[in-house]
Amino acid sequence: MTQLSGPRAHLQPAVIVALGTGMRMGEQLRMKRHQVDFLRNIITARDTKNGRPRDIPMNDDVKEALAELCRDKAPNDFIF
């Protein structure tokens, strides 16, 4: 992802999560720390388009990006 370096480097985690999970931008922006389960490798999207929560599996890249973002966050803190 050389395009996401330099002044755009802050976008890299959001792009990794979007590509690795298929989450919509709104789902990502509303995602809180308590929705990410690192033990089960699952993200629970609450505010979805159809109104029903859904579990989304995490691959290694997504897990790594979210682990970095979730460090030092309280359960109700937004990730992005």
Coordinates of all heavy atoms in Angstrom, one line a residue:
M1 N 0.8 -1.2 0.0 CA 0.0 0.0 0.0 C 0.9 1.2 0.0 O 0.8 2.1 0.9 CB -0.9 0.0 1.2 CG -2.0 -1.0 1.1 SD -3.3 -0.6 2.3 CE -4.2 -2.1 2.3
T2 N 1.7 1.4 -1.0 CA 2.5 2.5 -1.1 C 1.8 3.8 -1.3 O 2.3 4.9 -1.0 CB 3.5 2.4 -2.3 OG1 2.8 2.2 -3.5 CG2 4.4 1.2 -2.0
Q3 N 0.5 3.8 -1.8 CA -0.3 5.0 -2.0 C -0.7 5.5 -0.6 O -1.1 6.7 -0.5 CB -1.5 4.7 -2.8 CG -1.3 4.2 -4.2 CD -1.0 2.7 -4.3 OE1 -1.0 2.0 -3.4 NE2 -0.7 2.3 -5.6
L4 N -0.7 4.7 0.4 CA -1.1 5.2 1.7 C 0.1 5.4 2.7 O 0.1 5.0 3.8 CB -2.1 4.1 2.4 CG -3.4 4.0 1.6 CD1 -4.2 2.9 2.2 CD2 -4.2 5.3 1.6
S5 N 1.1 6.1 2.1 CA 2.2 6.5 2.9 C 2.3 8.0 2.9 O 1.6 8.7 2.2 CB 3.5 5.9 2.4 OG 3.7 6.3 1.1
G6 N 3.2 8.5 3.7 CA 3.3 10.0 3.8 C 2.1 10.7 4.4 O 1.6 10.2 5.4
P7 N 1.6 11.7 3.7 CA 0.5 12.4 4.3 C -0.8 11.6 4.3 O -1.8 12.0 5.1 CB 0.3 13.6 3.3 CG 1.0 13.3 2.1 CD 2.0 12.2 2.4
R8 N -0.9 10.5 3.7 CA -2.1 9.7 3.7 C -2.0 8.4 4.6 O -2.9 7.6 4.7 CB -2.5 9.2 2.3 CG -2.8 10.3 1.4 CD -3.3 9.7 0.0 NE -3.4 10.7 -0.9 CZ -2.7 10.8 -2.1 NH1 -1.9 9.8 -2.4 NH2 -2.9 11.8 -2.9
A9 N -0.9 8.3 5.4 CA -0.6 7.2 6.2 C -1.7 6.9 7.3 O -2.0 5.8 7.6 CB 0.7 7.3 6.9
H10 N -2.4 8.0 7.7 CA -3.4 7.8 8.7 C -4.6 7.1 8.2 O -5.4 6.5 9.0 CB -3.8 9.2 9.3 CG -4.5 10.1 8.3 ND1 -3.8 10.7 7.3 CD2 -5.8 10.3 8.1 CE1 -4.7 11.4 6.6 NE2 -5.9 11.2 7.0
L11 N -4.8 7.0 6.9 CA -5.9 6.3 6.3 C -5.7 4.7 6.2 O -6.6 4.0 6.0 CB -6.2 6.8 4.9 CG -6.6 8.3 4.9 CD1 -6.7 8.7 3.4 CD2 -7.9 8.5 5.6
Q12 N -4.4 4.3 6.3 CA -4.1 2.9 6.1 C -4.9 1.9 6.9 O -5.5 1.0 6.4 CB -2.6 2.7 6.2 CG -2.2 1.3 5.8 CD -0.7 1.1 5.7 OE1 0.0 2.0 6.1 NE2 -0.3 0.0 5.2
P13 N -5.1 2.1 8.3 CA -5.8 1.2 9.1 C -7.3 1.1 8.6 O -7.9 0.0 8.5 CB -5.8 1.7 10.5 CG -4.5 2.6 10.5 CD -4.4 3.1 9.1
A14 N -7.9 2.2 8.2 CA -9.3 2.2 7.8 C -9.4 1.4 6.5 O -10.4 0.7 6.3 CB -9.8 3.6 7.6
V15 N -8.5 1.6 5.6 CA -8.5 0.8 4.3 C -8.3 -0.6 4.6 O -9.0 -1.5 4.0 CB -7.5 1.4 3.3 CG1 -7.4 0.6 2.1 CG2 -7.8 2.9 3.0
I16 N -7.4 -1.0 5.4 CA -7.1 -2.4 5.7 C -8.4 -3.1 6.3 O -8.8 -4.2 5.9 CB -6.0 -2.5 6.7 CG1 -4.7 -2.2 6.0 CG2 -5.9 -4.0 7.3 CD1 -3.5 -2.1 7.0
V17 N -9.1 -2.4 7.2 CA -10.3 -2.9 7.8 C -11.4 -3.0 6.8 O -12.1 -4.0 6.7 CB -10.8 -2.1 9.0 CG1 -12.1 -2.5 9.5 CG2 -9.8 -2.2 10.1
A18 N -11.5 -2.0 5.9 CA -12.6 -2.0 4.9 C -12.4 -3.2 3.9 O -13.3 -3.9 3.6 CB -12.6 -0.7 4.1
L19 N -11.1 -3.3 3.4 CA -10.8 -4.4 2.5 C -10.9 -5.8 3.1 O -11.4 -6.7 2.5 CB -9.5 -4.2 1.9 CG -9.3 -3.0 0.9 CD1 -7.8 -2.8 0.5 CD2 -10.2 -3.1 -0.3
G20 N -10.5 -5.9 4.3 CA -10.5 -7.2 5.0 C -11.8 -7.7 5.6 O -12.0 -8.9 5.8
T21 N -12.7 -6.7 5.7 CA -14.0 -7.1 6.3 C -15.2 -6.8 5.5 O -16.3 -7.4 5.7 CB -14.3 -6.4 7.7 OG1 -14.3 -5.0 7.4 CG2 -13.2 -6.7 8.7
G22 N -15.1 -5.9 4.5 CA -16.3 -5.5 3.7 C -17.2 -4.6 4.5 O -18.3 -4.3 4.0
M23 N -16.7 -4.0 5.6 CA -17.6 -3.1 6.4 C -17.8 -1.8 5.6 O -16.9 -1.3 4.9 CB -17.0 -2.8 7.7 CG -16.9 -4.0 8.7 SD -16.1 -3.6 10.2 CE -17.4 -2.6 11.0
R24 N -19.0 -1.2 5.7 CA -19.2 0.1 5.2 C -18.6 1.2 6.0 O -18.3 0.9 7.2 CB -20.7 0.3 5.1 CG -21.5 -0.6 4.2 CD -23.0 -0.3 4.2 NE -23.7 -1.2 3.3 CZ -24.1 -2.4 3.5 NH1 -23.8 -3.0 4.7 NH2 -24.7 -3.1 2.6
M25 N -18.3 2.3 5.4 CA -17.6 3.4 6.1 C -18.4 3.8 7.4 O -17.8 4.0 8.4 CB -17.5 4.6 5.2 CG -16.7 5.7 5.9 SD -16.2 7.1 4.9 CE -17.7 7.5 3.9
G26 N -19.7 3.9 7.3 CA -20.5 4.2 8.5 C -20.4 3.2 9.6 O -20.3 3.6 10.8
E27 N -20.3 2.0 9.2 CA -20.1 0.9 10.2 C -18.8 1.1 10.9 O -18.6 0.9 12.1 CB -20.2 -0.5 9.6 CG -21.6 -0.9 9.1 CD -21.6 -2.2 8.4 OE1 -20.6 -2.6 7.8 OE2 -22.7 -2.8 8.4
Q28 N -17.7 1.4 10.1 CA -16.4 1.6 10.7 C -16.4 2.8 11.6 O -15.8 2.7 12.7 CB -15.4 1.7 9.6 CG -15.0 0.5 8.9 CD -13.8 0.7 8.0 OE1 -12.8 1.2 8.4 NE2 -13.9 0.2 6.8
L29 N -16.9 3.9 11.2 CA -16.9 5.1 11.9 C -17.7 5.0 13.2 O -17.3 5.7 14.2 CB -17.3 6.3 11.1 CG -16.5 6.6 9.9 CD1 -17.0 7.8 9.1 CD2 -15.0 6.9 10.3
R30 N -18.7 4.2 13.3 CA -19.5 4.0 14.5 C -19.0 2.9 15.4 O -19.5 2.6 16.5 CB -21.0 3.8 14.2 CG -21.7 5.0 13.6 CD -23.1 4.8 13.4 NE -23.4 3.7 12.5 CZ -23.6 3.9 11.2 NH1 -23.5 5.0 10.6 NH2 -23.9 2.8 10.4
M31 N -18.0 2.2 15.0 CA -17.5 1.0 15.7 C -16.8 1.4 17.0 O -15.9 2.3 17.0 CB -16.5 0.2 14.8 CG -16.0 -1.1 15.4 SD -15.1 -2.1 14.3 CE -14.0 -1.0 13.4
K32 N -17.1 0.8 18.1 CA -16.5 1.0 19.4 C -15.7 -0.2 19.8 O -15.8 -1.3 19.3 CB -17.6 1.3 20.4 CG -18.4 2.6 20.1 CD -19.3 2.9 21.3 CE -19.9 4.3 21.0 NZ -20.7 4.7 22.1
R33 N -14.8 0.1 20.8 CA -13.8 -0.9 21.2 C -14.5 -2.2 21.6 O -14.0 -3.3 21.3 CB -13.0 -0.3 22.3 CG -12.1 -1.3 23.1 CD -11.1 -2.0 22.2 NE -10.4 -3.0 22.8 CZ -10.7 -4.3 22.9 NH1 -11.8 -4.7 22.3 NH2 -9.9 -5.2 23.5
H34 N -15.6 -2.1 22.3 CA -16.3 -3.3 22.9 C -16.9 -4.2 21.8 O -17.2 -5.4 22.0 CB -17.4 -3.0 23.9 CG -18.5 -2.3 23.3 ND1 -19.6 -2.9 22.8 CD2 -18.8 -1.0 23.2 CE1 -20.5 -2.0 22.3 NE2 -20.0 -0.8 22.6
Q35 N -16.9 -3.8 20.5 CA -17.5 -4.6 19.4 C -16.4 -5.5 18.8 O -16.7 -6.3 18.0 CB -18.0 -3.6 18.3 CG -19.2 -2.9 18.8 CD -19.7 -1.9 17.7 OE1 -19.6 -0.7 17.9 NE2 -20.1 -2.4 16.6
V36 N -15.2 -5.3 19.2 CA -14.1 -6.1 18.7 C -13.7 -7.2 19.7 O -13.3 -6.9 20.8 CB -12.8 -5.2 18.3 CG1 -11.7 -6.1 17.7 CG2 -13.2 -4.1 17.4
D37 N -13.8 -8.5 19.3 CA -13.4 -9.6 20.1 C -12.2 -10.2 19.5 O -12.3 -11.0 18.6 CB -14.6 -10.6 20.2 CG -14.4 -11.7 21.1 OD1 -13.2 -11.9 21.6 OD2 -15.4 -12.4 21.4
F38 N -11.0 -10.0 20.2 CA -9.8 -10.5 19.7 C -9.6 -12.0 20.0 O -8.8 -12.7 19.3 CB -8.6 -9.7 20.3 CG -8.5 -8.3 19.7 CD1 -8.9 -7.2 20.5 CD2 -8.0 -8.1 18.4 CE1 -8.8 -5.9 19.9 CE2 -7.9 -6.8 17.9 CZ -8.3 -5.7 18.7
L39 N -10.3 -12.5 21.0 CA -10.2 -13.9 21.3 C -10.9 -14.8 20.2 O -10.4 -15.9 19.9 CB -10.8 -14.2 22.7 CG -10.0 -13.6 23.8 CD1 -10.7 -13.8 25.1 CD2 -8.6 -14.1 23.9
R40 N -12.1 -14.3 19.8 CA -12.8 -15.0 18.7 C -12.6 -14.6 17.3 O -13.1 -15.1 16.4 CB -14.3 -14.9 19.0 CG -14.7 -15.6 20.3 CD -16.2 -15.5 20.6 NE -17.0 -15.1 19.4 CZ -18.2 -14.5 19.5 NH1 -18.7 -14.2 20.6 NH2 -18.8 -14.1 18.4
N41 N -11.8 -13.5 17.2 CA -11.5 -12.9 15.9 C -12.8 -12.4 15.2 O -12.9 -12.7 14.0 CB -10.7 -13.8 15.0 CG -9.3 -14.0 15.5 OD1 -8.7 -13.2 16.1 ND2 -8.7 -15.2 15.2
I42 N -13.6 -11.8 15.9 CA -14.9 -11.3 15.4 C -15.1 -9.9 15.7 O -14.8 -9.4 16.8 CB -16.1 -12.2 16.0 CG1 -16.0 -13.6 15.7 CG2 -17.4 -11.6 15.7 CD1 -16.4 -14.0 14.3
I43 N -15.7 -9.1 14.7 CA -16.2 -7.8 14.9 C -17.7 -7.9 14.9 O -18.3 -8.5 14.0 CB -15.7 -6.8 13.8 CG1 -14.2 -6.8 13.8 CG2 -16.3 -5.4 14.1 CD1 -13.7 -6.0 12.6
T44 N -18.4 -7.3 15.9 CA -19.9 -7.3 15.8 C -20.3 -5.9 15.4 O -20.2 -4.9 16.1 CB -20.5 -7.6 17.2 OG1 -20.0 -8.9 17.6 CG2 -22.0 -7.6 17.2
A45 N -20.8 -5.8 14.2 CA -21.3 -4.6 13.6 C -22.8 -4.4 14.2 O -23.6 -5.2 13.9 CB -21.3 -4.6 12.1
R46 N -23.0 -3.3 14.9 CA -24.3 -3.1 15.5 C -25.2 -2.2 14.6 O -26.4 -2.6 14.4 CB -24.1 -2.3 16.8 CG -23.2 -3.1 17.8 CD -24.0 -3.6 19.0 NE -23.2 -4.2 19.9 CZ -23.2 -5.5 20.2 NH1 -24.0 -6.3 19.6 NH2 -22.4 -6.0 21.0
D47 N -24.8 -1.1 14.1 CA -25.6 -0.2 13.3 C -25.4 -0.5 11.9 O -24.7 0.2 11.2 CB -25.3 1.3 13.6 CG -25.5 1.6 15.1 OD1 -26.5 1.2 15.7 OD2 -24.6 2.3 15.7
T48 N -26.1 -1.6 11.4 CA -26.0 -2.0 10.0 C -27.0 -1.4 9.2 O -28.0 -0.8 9.7 CB -26.0 -3.5 9.9 OG1 -27.3 -4.0 10.4 CG2 -24.9 -4.2 10.7
K49 N -26.9 -1.6 7.9 CA -27.9 -1.0 6.9 C -29.3 -1.6 7.1 O -30.3 -0.9 7.0 CB -27.4 -1.3 5.5 CG -28.2 -0.6 4.4 CD -27.5 -0.9 3.1 CE -28.3 -0.3 2.0 NZ -27.7 -0.5 0.7
N50 N -29.4 -2.9 7.4 CA -30.7 -3.5 7.6 C -31.2 -3.5 9.0 O -32.2 -4.0 9.4 CB -30.7 -4.9 7.1 CG -29.8 -5.9 7.9 OD1 -29.3 -5.5 8.9 ND2 -29.7 -7.1 7.4
G51 N -30.3 -2.9 9.9 CA -30.8 -2.7 11.3 C -30.5 -3.9 12.2 O -30.7 -3.9 13.4
R52 N -30.0 -5.0 11.7 CA -29.6 -6.2 12.5 C -28.1 -6.3 12.7 O -27.4 -6.1 11.7 CB -30.1 -7.5 11.8 CG -31.6 -7.6 11.8 CD -32.1 -8.9 11.2 NE -33.0 -8.6 10.1 CZ -33.0 -9.1 8.9 NH1 -32.2 -10.1 8.7 NH2 -33.9 -8.8 8.0
P53 N -27.7 -6.6 13.9 CA -26.3 -6.8 14.1 C -25.8 -8.0 13.4 O -26.5 -8.9 13.1 CB -26.2 -7.1 15.6 CG -27.5 -7.0 16.2 CD -28.5 -6.8 15.1
R54 N -24.5 -7.9 13.0 CA -23.9 -9.1 12.3 C -22.4 -9.2 12.8 O -21.8 -8.3 13.1 CB -23.9 -8.9 10.8 CG -23.1 -7.7 10.2 CD -23.3 -7.5 8.7 NE -22.6 -6.4 8.3 CZ -21.7 -6.4 7.4 NH1 -21.2 -7.5 6.9 NH2 -21.1 -5.2 7.0
D55 N -22.0 -10.5 12.8 CA -20.6 -10.8 13.2 C -19.8 -10.9 11.9 O -20.1 -11.6 10.9 CB -20.6 -12.1 13.9 CG -21.1 -12.0 15.3 OD1 -21.2 -10.9 15.8 OD2 -21.5 -13.1 15.9
I56 N -18.6 -10.3 12.0 CA -17.7 -10.2 10.8 C -16.4 -10.8 11.2 O -15.8 -10.3 12.2 CB -17.5 -8.7 10.4 CG1 -18.9 -8.1 10.0 CG2 -16.6 -8.7 9.2 CD1 -18.8 -6.6 9.9
P57 N -15.9 -11.8 10.5 CA -14.6 -12.4 10.9 C -13.4 -11.4 10.6 O -13.5 -10.7 9.6 CB -14.5 -13.7 10.1 CG -15.5 -13.5 9.0 CD -16.5 -12.5 9.4
M58 N -12.4 -11.5 11.4 CA -11.2 -10.7 11.1 C -10.1 -11.6 10.6 O -9.8 -12.7 11.1 CB -10.7 -10.1 12.5 CG -11.5 -9.0 13.0 SD -10.7 -8.2 14.4 CE -10.8 -9.4 15.7
N59 N -9.4 -11.1 9.6 CA -8.2 -11.8 9.1 C -7.0 -11.2 9.9 O -7.1 -10.3 10.7 CB -8.0 -11.7 7.6 CG -7.8 -10.3 7.1 OD1 -7.3 -9.4 7.9 ND2 -8.1 -10.0 5.9
D60 N -5.8 -11.7 9.7 CA -4.6 -11.3 10.5 C -4.3 -9.8 10.3 O -3.9 -9.1 11.2 CB -3.4 -12.2 10.1 CG -3.5 -13.6 10.6 OD1 -4.3 -13.8 11.5 OD2 -2.9 -14.5 10.0
D61 N -4.5 -9.3 9.0 CA -4.2 -7.9 8.8 C -5.1 -7.0 9.5 O -4.7 -6.0 10.1 CB -4.2 -7.6 7.3 CG -3.1 -8.3 6.5 OD1 -2.1 -8.6 7.1 OD2 -3.3 -8.6 5.3
V62 N -6.4 -7.4 9.5 CA -7.4 -6.6 10.2 C -7.2 -6.6 11.7 O -7.2 -5.6 12.4 CB -8.8 -7.1 9.9 CG1 -9.9 -6.4 10.8 CG2 -9.2 -6.8 8.4
K63 N -6.9 -7.8 12.2 CA -6.6 -8.0 13.7 C -5.4 -7.1 14.1 O -5.5 -6.4 15.1 CB -6.4 -9.4 14.0 CG -6.3 -9.7 15.4 CD -6.2 -11.2 15.7 CE -6.1 -11.5 17.1 NZ -6.1 -13.0 17.4
E64 N -4.4 -7.1 13.3 CA -3.2 -6.3 13.6 C -3.5 -4.8 13.6 O -3.1 -4.1 14.5 CB -2.1 -6.6 12.6 CG -0.8 -6.0 12.9 CD 0.3 -6.3 11.9 OE1 0.3 -7.5 11.4 OE2 1.1 -5.5 11.5
A65 N -4.2 -4.4 12.6 CA -4.5 -2.9 12.5 C -5.4 -2.5 13.6 O -5.2 -1.4 14.2 CB -5.2 -2.6 11.2
L66 N -6.4 -3.3 14.0 CA -7.3 -3.0 15.1 C -6.6 -3.1 16.4 O -7.0 -2.3 17.3 CB -8.6 -3.8 15.0 CG -9.6 -3.5 13.9 CD1 -10.7 -4.5 13.9 CD2 -10.0 -2.1 14.0
A67 N -5.7 -4.0 16.6 CA -5.0 -4.1 17.9 C -4.2 -2.8 18.2 O -4.2 -2.3 19.3 CB -4.1 -5.3 17.8
E68 N -3.6 -2.3 17.1 CA -2.9 -1.0 17.3 C -3.8 0.1 17.6 O -3.5 0.9 18.5 CB -2.1 -0.7 16.0 CG -1.3 0.5 16.0 CD -0.1 0.4 17.0 OE1 0.4 -0.7 17.2 OE2 0.3 1.5 17.5
L69 N -5.0 0.2 16.9 CA -5.9 1.3 17.2 C -6.6 1.2 18.5 O -7.0 2.2 19.1 CB -7.0 1.3 16.1 CG -6.5 1.7 14.7 CD1 -7.6 1.5 13.6 CD2 -6.1 3.2 14.7
C70 N -6.8 -0.1 19.0 CA -7.6 -0.3 20.2 C -6.7 -0.1 21.5 O -7.3 -0.1 22.6 CB -8.2 -1.7 20.2 SG -9.6 -1.8 19.1
R71 N -5.4 -0.1 21.3 CA -4.6 0.0 22.5 C -4.9 1.3 23.3 O -5.1 2.4 22.7 CB -3.1 0.1 22.0 CG -2.1 0.0 23.1 CD -0.7 0.0 22.7 NE -0.5 -1.2 21.8 CZ 0.3 -1.2 20.7 NH1 0.9 -0.1 20.4 NH2 0.4 -2.2 20.0
D72 N -5.0 1.2 24.6 CA -5.3 2.3 25.5 C -6.7 2.9 25.3 O -6.9 4.1 25.6 CB -4.3 3.4 25.4 CG -2.9 2.9 25.7 OD1 -2.8 2.0 26.6 OD2 -1.9 3.3 25.1
K73 N -7.7 2.2 24.7 CA -9.0 2.7 24.5 C -9.9 2.0 25.5 O -9.8 0.8 25.8 CB -9.5 2.4 23.1 CG -8.8 3.3 22.1 CD -9.7 3.4 20.8 CE -8.9 4.2 19.8 NZ -9.0 5.6 19.8
A74 N -10.9 2.8 26.0 CA -11.9 2.2 26.9 C -13.0 1.5 26.1 O -13.1 1.8 24.9 CB -12.6 3.3 27.7
P75 N -13.7 0.6 26.7 CA -14.7 -0.2 25.9 C -15.7 0.7 25.1 O -16.2 0.3 24.0 CB -15.5 -1.0 26.9 CG -14.5 -1.2 28.0 CD -13.7 0.1 28.0
N76 N -16.1 1.9 25.6 CA -17.0 2.7 24.9 C -16.4 3.7 24.0 O -17.1 4.6 23.4 CB -18.0 3.4 25.8 CG -19.2 2.5 26.1 OD1 -19.5 1.6 25.4 ND2 -19.8 2.7 27.3
D77 N -15.1 3.7 23.8 CA -14.4 4.6 22.9 C -14.6 4.2 21.4 O -14.6 3.0 21.1 CB -12.9 4.7 23.2 CG -12.6 5.4 24.5 OD1 -13.5 6.1 25.0 OD2 -11.5 5.3 25.0
F78 N -14.7 5.2 20.6 CA -14.8 4.9 19.1 C -13.4 4.5 18.7 O -12.4 5.1 19.2 CB -15.2 6.1 18.3 CG -16.7 6.4 18.5 CD1 -17.1 7.4 19.3 CD2 -17.6 5.7 17.8 CE1 -18.5 7.7 19.4 CE2 -19.0 5.9 17.9 CZ -19.4 6.9 18.7
I79 N -13.3 3.6 17.7 CA -12.0 3.1 17.3 C -11.4 4.1 16.3 O -10.2 4.5 16.3 CB -12.1 1.7 16.7 CG1 -12.4 0.7 17.8 CG2 -10.8 1.3 16.0 CD1 -12.7 -0.7 17.3
F80 N -12.2 4.6 15.4 CA -11.8 5.6 14.3 C -12.2 7.0 14.7 O -13.2 7.2 15.3 CB -12.3 5.2 12.9 CG -11.7 3.9 12.4 CD1 -12.4 2.7 12.4 CD2 -10.4 4.0 11.9 CE1 -11.8 1.6 12.0 CE2 -9.8 2.8 11.4 CZ -10.6 1.6 11.4

